Amino acid sequence: MESVQDKKKNKKEIMIDFSKNNGLVPVIIQHFQTLEVLMLGYMNAEAWELTQKDKRVTFFSRSKNRLWTKGEESGNFLEVKSTHIDCDNDTLLIKAKPEGPTCHTGSRSCFNTEYNQNFLFELEQIVSQRYEFPSEESYVNKLRKKGVTKIAQKVGEEAVETVIAALRETDKDFINESSDLLFHLLVLLQEKKISLKKIAKNLESRHK
């Protein structure tokens, strides 16, 4: 969820220098949750205005020589979450929510990465959605119903199993137990209404 401070930053007018590169600026599209780089495109002033108006990413297609809204044919639109300008005011970074695969090949990213290195942030959002829209079949919902004490106990159990796997079992077992531990910790964080971002900021402050 976007903070009040982030919203204020995003409301600040962005001044883009369209005087270079025949009126085009490069635009990096980044997943707003996982921060994975999804694609690179170009905008002219008109594309930028339309993107701001519709809250969907519109590029200027150099091959088609016209404005092109990402997803206009496939339905895989890019919903704008925040926009950022670089120090020279001639390159844009847009954090977006993709509605389906971003690449025309069907891949989530045009850069063909093997896996999402920031999947924990996506998993955090999945857990959050399970809380917001509970279903009887959901394992997260069953944990939620048991309350914070039981969830915390489950994290403790998974931590013990992870330690045992590290000392006595195979690397595959250790990876599986570590995955279980992280998943249940995400549920506990959700129960306590604490985000991974807060944990990351705290770790960063300790590093400094």
Side-chain angles (χ1 to χ4, degrees):
M1 183 177 292
E2 197 175 31
S3 68
V4 173
Q5 187 177 6
D6 287 337
K7 288 180 179 178
K8 287 181 178 179
K9 287 180 181 178
N10 291 332
K11 286 182 180 178
K12 185 178 179 181
E13 186 177 0
I14 294 177
M15 303 300 294
I16 304 173
D17 183 1
F18 287 104
S19 65
K20 307 172 185 177
N21 196 28
N22 296 320
L24 298 178
V25 297
V27 183
I28 301 164
I29 305 298
Q30 189 177 37
H31 194 293
F32 81 111
Q33 290 173 335
T34 68
L35 305 183
E36 183 180 18
V37 175
L38 300 176
M39 68 173 295
L40 172 69
Y42 291 86
M43 286 185 186
N44 59 10
E46 189 177 358
W48 169 238
E49 290 176 7
L50 194 59
T51 296
Q52 290 179 291
K53 175 178 175 292
D54 295 342
K55 302 300 180 185
R56 284 179 170 174
V57 176
T58 292
F59 297 106
F60 180 83
S61 172
R62 294 174 298 172
S63 59
K64 299 175 183 177
N65 196 34
R66 66 170 176 84
L67 295 182
W68 166 60
T69 299
K70 179 69 178 71
E72 63 184 21
E73 295 180 0
S74 65
N76 299 329
F77 297 101
L78 292 169
E79 178 186 342
V80 176
K81 290 297 184 178
S82 64
T83 53
H84 312 267
I85 190 75
D86 78 333
C87 55
D88 293 322
N89 296 326
D90 60 4
T91 301
L92 273 171
L93 170 66
I94 295 181
K95 293 182 180 179
K97 178 182 179 182
E99 298 179 14
T102 298
C103 186
H104 71 280
T105 63
S107 298
R108 67 177 182 280
S109 169
C110 291
F111 293 97
N112 196 29
T113 50
E114 293 182 7
Y115 63 96
N116 181 0
Q117 299 181 61
N118 296 304
F119 179 70
L120 278 178
F121 289 97
E122 187 171 337
L123 183 57
E124 178 187 38
Q125 184 63 22
I126 292 171
V127 171
S128 176
Q129 289 173 349
R130 296 290 188 271
Y131 263 68
E132 189 174 357
F133 305 104
S135 66
E136 292 300 322
E137 297 79 17
S138 168
Y139 176 64
V140 171
N141 185 47
K142 292 175 182 177
L143 286 173
R144 181 184 64 85
K145 286 183 176 181
K146 293 179 179 179
V148 65
T149 300
K150 291 294 185 182
I151 297 173
Q153 288 176 352
K154 186 64 177 175
V155 171
E157 292 171 7
E158 296 297 344
V160 171
E161 291 178 7
T162 300
V163 171
I164 293 172
L167 297 176
R168 301 179 183 176
E169 300 177 11
T170 66
D171 285 350
K172 182 178 180 181
D173 292 327
F174 177 58
I175 290 170
N176 284 329
E177 294 298 345
S178 296
S179 298
D180 289 342
L181 174 58
L182 286 172
F183 172 78
H184 287 90
L185 181 57
L186 283 176
V187 177
L188 182 58
L189 287 170
Q190 178 65 38
E191 182 69 24
K192 298 290 292 182
K193 295 181 172 58
I194 296 174
S195 67
L196 275 178
K197 185 183 291 186
K198 287 185 178 179
I199 303 298
K201 285 183 177 180
N202 187 52
L203 287 170
E204 183 181 23
S205 67
R206 291 184 182 185
H207 178 69
K208 293 177 181 178

